[in-house]
Amino acid sequence: RPVYYGAMDVDLSPLGEAEARAAAQYLQQFDVDLVVCSPLSRAVFGAEEVLALQAKLLENNGDLLQMDGLKELDRGSWCGKTKDEIGSEMMARFDACDESATPEGGESYPFLKKRVLKARDEVLKRLEFGQSAVIVSHLQVTRSILSDALGIPTEEMAGLNVATASVTCIDYDSAGTQTVRFQSFKPDVGLETSKDGAN
């Protein structure tokens, strides 16, 4: 039963863990200076897999940096409900950033994007020119960062397709220019297709 869990701390499935390992193996080819993640266990798992394959970081006793600002969207009273139970009209209003459609105790997309971009900027401040970081997070967090880089309005970011455990690469220069090198790349390692019915 695909229900929304948002910022609830839900463990990865065995397939999700395999996908996270595949992403970490793909990232092993890159020289990473910092690994950052959401404090939710499913993101921490993926970040630990990335860190374990980064020789330079391990040699320098590198550790994970967990940031609350990278948590998944808080779905509030919608947690544990299906899309049908929430209703297509309400979901459409929420996706269009109608603040009155924000679930009780939850976050809107504009609120989420503001906190995510603040966390992203904090990560960038930790890097020197030419350095790189891996951020292991969640669907709506990735959409927030990617939509900003692509110049896509917040009310349209729900339309961005981002596969589970996929890799998106964005370059930032000193002038503030953002260049998306690739997005939602998923290494093909022969795993079954994941079905993330709600998030």
Side-chain angles (χ1 to χ4, degrees), residues 152-183:
I152 294 174
T154 306
E155 59 270 21
E156 297 177 15
M157 75 178 197
L160 282 171
N161 292 320
V162 179
T164 56
S166 61
V167 181
T168 291
C169 178
I170 305 173
D171 279 350
Y172 298 85
D173 68 17
S174 58
T177 302
Q178 305 179 57
T179 304
V180 179
R181 299 299 180 188
F182 55 86
Q183 64 188 77

Side-chain angles (χ1 to χ4, degrees), residues 111-125:
F111 184 92
L112 166 78
K113 192 168 182 176
K114 183 177 180 180
R115 74 159 163 86
V116 168
L117 296 184
K118 180 181 178 181
R120 178 209 61 189
D121 290 346
E122 290 173 6
V123 172
L124 291 174
K125 288 176 183 176

Side-chain angles (χ1 to χ4, degrees), residues 74-85:
D74 191 337
R75 293 285 185 178
S77 60
W78 289 356
C79 287
K81 292 185 177 181
T82 65
K83 290 181 180 179
D84 288 341
E85 288 169 341

Side-chain angles (χ1 to χ4, degrees), residues 7 35-40 42-43 65-73 107 112 115-123 134-142 144-145:
V35 180
V36 190
C37 66
S38 153
L40 299 181
R42 56 191 186 271
L65 174 61
Q66 296 184 26
M67 300 181 70
D68 284 339
L70 298 174
K71 280 185 178 179
E72 180 59 297
L73 174 71
E107 298 175 308
L112 166 78
R115 74 159 163 86
V116 168
L117 296 184
K118 180 181 178 181
R120 178 209 61 189
D121 290 346
E122 290 173 6
V123 172
V134 170
I135 295 177
V136 182
S137 58
H138 311 278
L139 171 61
Q140 307 302 347
V141 174
T142 302
S144 295
I145 295 173

Side-chain angles (χ1 to χ4, degrees), residues 177-196:
T177 302
Q178 305 179 57
T179 304
V180 179
R181 299 299 180 188
F182 55 86
Q183 64 188 77
S184 192
F185 172 75
K186 192 161 185 172
D188 184 2
V189 292
L191 297 174
E192 64 182 280
T193 302
S194 59
K195 296 178 181 178
D196 192 2

